[in-house]
């Protein structure tokens, strides 16, 4: 197979992979972020401590993570057909990719949020901040570098899942490698596909690491804002005590 014959096939496969991974990542982040935060908030000692809710959400996430992606695709075929009208193609593959990505990202979010200094949470609580304020002003901003790294990991995992989806008619680079590289013995095309995946993953990892480091450095320069605001809020009280003495 010549390059002129390979080029349109590769362009179409790359487009399909980008569409699958892009939409599934968006859905995984939108669905996994609140789930991960909720796992932290409802855990023992959390702001919304609720053992029953925590165990139910945790069990759902564990089940979602434990299923191999190929089995998940087969199990969701009826649901995929109901949502998209088909079980073949890149649009259909978005459904199991997104559902598989949500629990994966949720656990990464949980780990990232748990790393936030609890002293910052206590500082905002002392200033009268409610749960939504703590989540929006402390937990998410402070965990943002880790969340960026978690998103990068999720994107790379979904690229791998999308390649597996191609083996069962999901389209994309995985489908191209199987149909031409394996079934038609086009070894050159298969290795080009592997090279494209390696380059894309390397670029995504580099971009994610760069963004996470940049946010971490900016956070280190700006310092612990909630603590400083709390100290500023305490100054008038200490001054009044001095005057009274």
């Amino acid at each position: 197979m010549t390059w002129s014959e390979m080029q349109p096939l590769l362009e179409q496969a790359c487009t399909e992979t980008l569409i699958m991974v892009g939409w599934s990542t968006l859905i995984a982040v939108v669905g996994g972020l609140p789930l991960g935060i909720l796992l932290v908030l409802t855990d023992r000692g959390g702001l919304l401590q609720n053992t029953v809710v925590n165990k139910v959400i945790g069990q759902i996430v564990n089940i979602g993570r434990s299923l191999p992606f190929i089995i998940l695709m087969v199990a969701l075929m009826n649901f995929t057909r109901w949502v998209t009208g088909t079980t073949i193609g890149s649009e259909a593959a978005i459904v199991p990719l997104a559902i598989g990505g949500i629990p994966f990202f949720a656990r990464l979010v949980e780990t990232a949020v748990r790393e936030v200094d609890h002293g910052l949470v206590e500082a905002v609580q002392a200033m009268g901040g409610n749960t939504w304020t703590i989540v929006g002003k402390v937990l998410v901003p402070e965990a943002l570098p880790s969340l960026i790294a978690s998103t990068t990991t999720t994107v790379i995992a979904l690229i791998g899942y999308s390649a597996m989806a191609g083996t069962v008619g999901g389209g994309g680079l995985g489908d191209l490698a199987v149909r031409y590289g394996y079934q038609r013995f086009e070894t050159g095309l298969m290795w080009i596909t592997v090279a494209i995946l390696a380059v894309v993953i390397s670029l995504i990892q580099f971009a994610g690491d760069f963004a996470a480091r940049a946010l971490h450095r900016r956070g280190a320069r700006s310092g612990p804002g909630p603590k400083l605001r709390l100290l500023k809020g305490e100054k008038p009280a200490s001054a009044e005590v001095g005057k009274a003495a």
Side-chain angles (χ1 to χ4, degrees), residues 3-25:
W3 173 249
S4 60
E5 294 173 327
M6 293 181 187
Q7 187 175 358
L9 296 174
L10 289 169
E11 289 177 354
Q12 180 181 357
C14 288
T15 302
E16 291 175 349
T17 297
L18 289 174
I19 291 173
M20 285 189 292
V21 174
W23 278 107
S24 58
T25 299

Side-chain angles (χ1 to χ4, degrees), residues 87-211:
T87 58
I88 300 175
S90 57
E91 291 183 1
I94 292 173
V95 176
L97 282 171
I99 293 176
I102 288 174
F104 182 86
F105 186 68
R107 281 300 182 192
L108 295 178
V109 171
E110 180 189 10
T111 302
V113 172
R114 287 190 189 280
E115 293 176 354
V116 176
D117 185 2
H118 192 66
L120 297 177
V121 176
E122 293 176 347
V124 176
Q125 282 181 312
M127 291 186 292
N130 57 24
T131 301
W132 291 110
T133 301
I134 292 172
V135 171
K137 300 295 185 180
V138 179
L139 295 182
V140 173
E142 291 294 324
L144 194 55
S146 296
L147 291 176
I148 294 296
S150 299
T151 304
T152 303
T153 302
T154 302
V155 172
I156 292 174
L158 289 175
I159 290 175
Y161 289 167
S162 71
M164 286 189 281
T167 63
V168 289
L173 291 170
D175 177 56
L176 183 66
V178 171
R179 283 194 298 115
Y180 288 87
Y182 177 72
Q183 296 177 350
R184 302 186 186 183
F185 303 102
E186 294 289 348
T187 307
L189 181 59
M190 182 178 66
W191 283 112
I192 291 174
T193 302
V194 171
I196 291 174
L197 287 172
V199 170
V200 170
I201 289 173
S202 297
L203 290 174
I204 292 172
Q205 187 67 61
F206 174 80
D209 291 344
F210 178 81

Side-chain angles (χ1 to χ4, degrees), residues 31-104:
L33 182 61
L35 270 183
I37 294 174
L38 199 58
L39 283 170
V40 177
L41 296 179
T42 58
D43 199 6
R44 183 176 301 176
L47 298 173
L48 301 174
Q49 179 176 332
N50 190 316
T51 305
V52 175
V53 173
N54 184 266
K55 287 185 176 180
V56 170
I57 297 175
Q59 193 61 33
I60 293 173
V61 170
N62 289 338
I63 293 173
R65 291 185 61 199
S66 64
L67 291 176
F69 181 69
I70 293 294
I71 296 177
L72 182 64
M73 284 193 67
V74 175
L76 292 174
M77 275 188 175
N78 290 333
F79 179 71
T80 301
R81 184 181 292 109
W82 178 75
V83 173
T84 64
T86 181
T87 58
I88 300 175
S90 57
E91 291 183 1
I94 292 173
V95 176
L97 282 171
I99 293 176
I102 288 174
F104 182 86

